[in-house]
Amino acid sequence: MNNYLLWYKRLPQREQYMLIGMSIIITITLFYLLLWEPVFKGIDEQMVKHQSQKKILLWMSNAEKEIMTLRSSGNTLSSQAYSQPISTLVERSATSTGIRSSIFKMKSDKKQNLIVQFKSVNFDRLTQWFGKLQKDYGITPKRVSITQTDAAGFVSCRVTLSKKS
């Protein structure tokens, strides 16, 4: 350390001032680059994360309210619907919708699906039946093939149905 002090004392007055000035500038720059900027950059990042988390929380709260509203409105499937075979539920709903007589063929496949074929079924009643299956029993169509028949408003249909687990 003494060597540096001797070296500094030997410099002309003007160079000593320049050295002190540069030392101050370097110290301030290092302070800014190593401490000040990273701290405030981290704070800004945390603020952005916090705002994002608040938005997610708000969305989840709204979704929870919507779920509770739907649950309380009675749109839940009965446990009886879960325990009955899909073919029984399909026949029951087709009878209540008035399209049971149009069912040509029903068969189960290996993946717990039911394939139903209709010959000349009223299109409006068919769409009502799809809605009833979904709402009352949780049965959804996976594949649907509809062909128009000669009679107005009537179609032939082949549908693969699947029940929610």
Side-chain angles (χ1 to χ4, degrees):
M1 182 81 168
N2 285 334
N3 289 339
Y4 291 118
L5 194 55
L6 287 174
W7 171 77
Y8 176 75
K9 295 281 184 182
R10 283 190 218 146
L11 291 175
Q13 183 83 20
R14 187 173 183 189
E15 288 182 12
Q16 287 179 0
Y17 289 141
M18 285 177 30
L19 189 60
I20 290 173
M22 287 305 294
S23 297
I24 292 172
I25 290 174
I26 290 173
T27 303
I28 291 172
T29 303
L30 287 174
F31 173 77
Y32 177 78
L33 292 176
L34 297 177
L35 294 173
W36 191 267
E37 184 185 23
V39 167
F40 282 96
K41 188 176 181 182
I43 290 172
D44 288 342
E45 287 175 0
Q46 291 302 317
M47 295 282 272
V48 168
K49 283 182 183 178
H50 179 70
Q51 291 298 323
S52 174
Q53 292 297 322
K54 281 175 63 176
K55 286 180 184 177
I56 290 171
L57 178 63
L58 179 65
W59 177 84
M60 290 178 88
S61 297
N62 291 337
E64 178 188 25
K65 289 175 189 172
E66 186 177 343
I67 289 169
M68 293 302 176
T69 303
L70 290 173
R71 282 186 181 165
S72 66
S73 70
N75 286 341
T76 57
L77 302 175
S78 68
S79 60
Q80 183 181 15
Y82 280 116
S83 63
Q84 293 184 355
I86 189 171
S87 58
T88 304
L89 299 172
V90 166
E91 283 191 42
R92 181 181 302 146
S93 62
T95 302
S96 69
T97 313
I99 61 171
R100 174 66 182 101
S101 60
S102 299
I103 293 179
F104 173 69
K105 188 183 208 181
M106 282 191 344
K107 72 174 187 175
S108 295
D109 68 4
K110 296 175 185 169
K111 297 180 182 175
Q112 304 294 327
N113 296 324
L114 183 69
I115 300 169
V116 183
Q117 289 181 318
F118 292 93
K119 257 192 176 174
S120 191
V121 63
N122 182 290
F123 183 74
D124 292 334
R125 287 189 179 176
L126 181 67
T127 55
Q128 290 172 356
W129 178 67
F130 284 144
K132 183 173 182 60
L133 284 174
Q134 172 65 43
K135 182 181 172 213
D136 295 347
Y137 306 113
I139 298 172
T140 56
K142 287 179 85 174
R143 273 181 249 116
V144 179
S145 173
I146 297 176
T147 309
Q148 186 176 3
T149 62
D150 294 334
F154 286 83
V155 295
S156 292
C157 177
R158 177 184 168 97
V159 60
T160 303
L161 301 168
S162 171
K163 185 163 69 166
K164 291 180 187 175
S165 304

